[in-house]
Every structure is written in C-alpha cells, then in structure tokens.
Amino acid sequence: MPKKKSTRKSTKKAQRKRPDTIKPVVLYHDMAVYENFERCAPRIFEVIWSAQQKAPNAPRLLYFDVQGHRNSAGGYDRDSWEMIENFLPEKALPYLTELHTPLYSWKNKRRQDNRVPQEMHIGYPEGEGKSFWYDIESLPLRKREAEADSRRTPPSKRAIMEYLGISEECLICWNSPVERAHVVPTSLGGSMDVRNFALLCREHHRQAPDIADAEAFWAWVDYAEIRDSGSKWTRAPEKIKSWVLSTGGRVEPLDRGEMSFLESVQFELRHLYGWTDDDFSATSWELIAEYHHVLDKATGRHFGVEKKASTHAWAYHVARLRLAAEITGRPNKTDFNLPF
C-alpha cells in the first residue's frame, strides 16, 4: 500500500485540538454578602482571565451563586439582580462556553472569545452616579436594604445565618463563637432588619467600623477577609495547609502586632481606600502622629469613656507645643490662654 503523505499543514492540524475535545474548565464564584456589584464584576473577569492563562482556549463553564443579597420581598437585591440579569449574560458570557446562575443557564451560541481583558472598570449611568456612593457633604444614613422592616429586637443568629447562607462562623476568619454585628449601628440610624447584621468573631467585631455607610462596612469586611485570610487555615489539617501554600496563600494570620494605632490607620487607608504617597503628603501626619503619642502616653479613660472632647483637645494642644519645640529647639510652656 502506498504510504500516506505527511505535509506540514496536516501535522499542524493534527497537533491542534478541536475545541470540543479539550477538557473544559469549571469556574465557580459565590457572590459574598460583602461584595456589591462594583466589587463582584471585576472579580468575575479576574477569574475568567486567570483560567485563560492557565488553560488557554479551553471551554469555560462558570457557575455563579449568591450569598445573602435579598430584598425586603425575599428576592434578589439590586446588586445581585444586576449581575444575574444583565452583567453576566451580556458582558461575561461571550468569554464563556456556558453560564449557570440561580435563575438561568445559558450556552454561548457563538464560539467562546478567548481575548479576555485582564482588567475592567465599572462606570455609572449619566446623571445617576451620585446614588452609587456615600454623600460626604450631607453625611446621610446609607443602608443596603431599601425598606427596613419594623422589628424592634435583633434577629436570632439562626436567622442571620440563613440570610448569609453560612454556618455559625465569622465572615472574615471562619472562627467561632460569633457575635451579631450591626452593619450600621442603631445609634446612627441602623435598623434591626436581618440585612443590617453580620456574624463576626469578637476580635473582628471589635475592629469593624461604626459608620453610617453600609456599603463601606461591607467593603471593610471584604478587605479584612483578604487581609486575614491566613486565619482561616490555622485549624486545618497539614495536607490542606500544604495545598494552600502551594497556591500562594497564607496559613497563618498577618502579624500586625508591631503596628501603632496610626500605622494601622495608614495601612487601612492604603489597602482599603487606595491612598497614595501624594495623599499622605498632603496631610499633616506629623501633628496627628504626635497627638496619638501624647494620647497613648499621658491620657486615660475615665468611666470607660474614650471620646472625651476635653482629653482629645488637651492632647492636640500638647502635641502642637511638642512639634513647635522640635522646630525651634526651645521648650514651650504648656500654659493655656484661659478667657477667665
């Protein structure tokens, strides 16, 4: 029998697998309660882009789930609805072969696009952008629930667990026991609605911000969950720890014990709010640092009250005098110009 001709073209064709013969990559993303639309959408593309780098041109199947994010009627809130109804089928599906959500499943009718953008930026509709962030001028209450229920007592831990879709564990470090943490404190106008609660361990409850901006609270939880990700694995078997290390993760808490209070504030400003060196240089951190030094060394708490105006005013005054002494090289009197 005559030998079959082997050409360069046919060899390349043989080496190139057909898309339907490549093993598909299954992707999963659970939209955590602390992720709003603006945080979740870019992460979806990070997952898709990473899959393309690790398994070039392989069919991608994305399974999308939602944690919490319920409205007063029990359906999905604005952020999760926007993801399921619009963003995923319109923006993400072209880079996938299949998409599965709690409400719908789609198959890409066209060939999967493998030119996945590495970054994406979220914009806001013309004239509507102001409603998406906190109004720093009027300092309003910004809650996640559109209409809070009228209950007057906190919901049970069980009810919060069911809303969040988690067991009795801290949202940040997965440890227990946990405490019920208000997203927006009642003293600032927060409600007893189950959507205004998180489950946090005592340490993370102590660290959580007391602010009137619900989305900023959840952004802090998101930041702390990444910052303290190593805490999740402290009690895990060694085999699991080895796997986490092999993927580039940490299996121990981030040691911030040597940080002063002000250093912790600066760390958070950099890593949560994106402050740069220019932002810090535009602020008189020398005075603030000296103020906290005086506050720590020479003030106390009376009746457990920390925010006493008299204590803080004195500490700022002494801090200013100390800075002036450093500049002039002469000691300053700590007298006060009393009007009486």
Side-chain angles (χ1 to χ4, degrees):
M1 291 181 65
K3 288 186 178 180
K4 200 170 184 179
K5 265 190 176 180
S6 177
T7 64
R8 188 174 178 182
K9 186 176 180 180
S10 62
T11 302
K12 283 188 176 180
K13 189 174 182 180
Q15 291 174 343
R16 191 169 58 239
K17 291 184 178 180
R18 290 178 51 183
D20 55 0
T21 64
I22 302 176
K23 188 176 180 180
V25 175
V26 178
L27 309 174
Y28 177 76
H29 186 85
D30 187 5
M31 184 180 184
V33 66
Y34 44 76
E35 287 183 307
N36 60 4
F37 175 82
E38 291 83 354
R39 287 189 289 277
C40 185
R43 287 174 180 173
I44 292 294
F45 268 83
E46 287 178 14
V47 169
I48 298 174
W49 182 85
S50 179
Q52 171 62 15
Q53 304 311 301
K54 294 176 181 177
N57 307 331
R60 291 182 287 272
L61 287 62
L62 174 63
Y63 288 82
F64 180 82
D65 209 347
V66 178
Q67 178 194 84
H69 287 289
R70 298 288 175 170
N71 58 25
S72 56
Y76 291 107
D77 66 8
R78 184 192 67 184
D79 288 306
S80 54
W81 182 254
E82 179 67 19
M83 289 296 302
I84 294 172
E85 188 71 14
N86 297 308
F87 180 80
L88 289 172
E90 294 177 10
K91 304 299 183 183
L93 184 57
Y95 304 98
L96 303 167
T97 297
E98 292 182 22
L99 169 64
H100 301 271
T101 74
L103 295 180
Y104 313 110
S105 292
W106 291 272
K107 286 191 176 181
N108 192 344
K109 295 181 180 179
R110 299 182 179 181
R111 179 176 293 182
Q112 171 183 284
D113 189 349
N114 294 314
R115 299 167 298 175
V116 185
Q118 185 174 358
E119 294 182 1
M120 70 166 305
H121 302 280
I122 303 296
Y124 298 99
E126 188 70 29
E128 296 182 22
K130 194 171 183 179
S131 65
F132 287 89
W133 56 75
Y134 189 68
D135 184 356
I136 59 173
E137 294 181 0
S138 61
L139 300 177
L141 168 66
R142 187 193 189 197
K143 55 189 180 181
R144 179 171 278 190
E145 69 270 17
E147 294 180 4
D149 66 25
S150 57
R151 64 176 297 131
R152 307 213 169 210
T153 58
S156 66
K157 286 184 183 179
R158 173 60 57 185
I160 300 172
M161 287 159 52
E162 290 176 358
Y163 168 69
L164 296 175
I166 61 173
S167 56
E168 193 169 345
E169 60 190 19
C170 176
L171 275 168
I172 294 171
C173 63
W174 299 356
N175 285 323
S176 13
V178 292
E179 299 176 349
R180 292 172 293 190
H182 277 93
V183 175
V184 176
T186 53
S187 60
L188 294 175
S191 73
M192 293 295 181
D193 192 300
V194 69
R195 292 162 294 170
N196 193 44
F197 283 86
L199 289 180
L200 301 176
C201 66
R202 175 165 292 187
E203 176 60 22
H204 283 117
H205 192 181
R206 186 184 66 82
Q207 295 178 24
D210 295 319
I211 51 182
D213 185 357
E215 288 302 338
F217 173 92
W218 289 119
W220 181 89
V221 172
D222 186 32
Y223 146 81
E225 191 268 340
I226 297 171
R227 182 197 68 188
D228 298 343
S229 59
S231 303
K232 300 174 181 177
W233 310 109
T234 53
R235 296 180 293 179
E238 290 302 319
K239 185 177 181 180
I240 299 296
K241 290 183 179 180
S242 298
W243 175 79
V244 173
L245 288 171
S246 69
T247 60
R250 287 185 290 108
V251 293
E252 71 285 328
L254 182 65
D255 183 13
R256 294 178 295 121
E258 297 300 317
M259 280 189 181
S260 67
F261 174 79
L262 187 58
E263 287 172 333
S264 296
V265 172
Q266 292 173 323
F267 182 89
E268 197 155 305
L269 287 171
R270 285 188 185 277
H271 295 88
L272 174 57
Y273 297 105
W275 278 41
T276 65
D277 289 339
D278 289 340
D279 296 316
F280 283 107
S281 64
T283 308
S284 179
W285 286 99
E286 293 83 2
L287 174 60
I288 297 175
E290 191 64 37
Y291 158 71
H292 280 286
H293 174 75
V294 173
L295 198 68
D296 292 339
K297 294 292 183 182
T299 68
R301 293 183 297 170
H302 192 51
F303 297 117
V305 178
E306 286 189 67
K307 294 184 178 179
K308 293 189 71 173
S310 56
T311 303
H312 286 241
W314 178 86
Y316 266 119
H317 180 69
V318 173
R320 183 177 67 82
L321 293 174
R322 286 167 59 87
L323 282 177
E326 289 181 11
I327 294 172
T328 62
R330 298 192 304 272
N332 283 265
K333 295 180 180 179
T334 56
D335 57 336
F336 300 84
N337 296 318
L338 299 178
F340 37 73

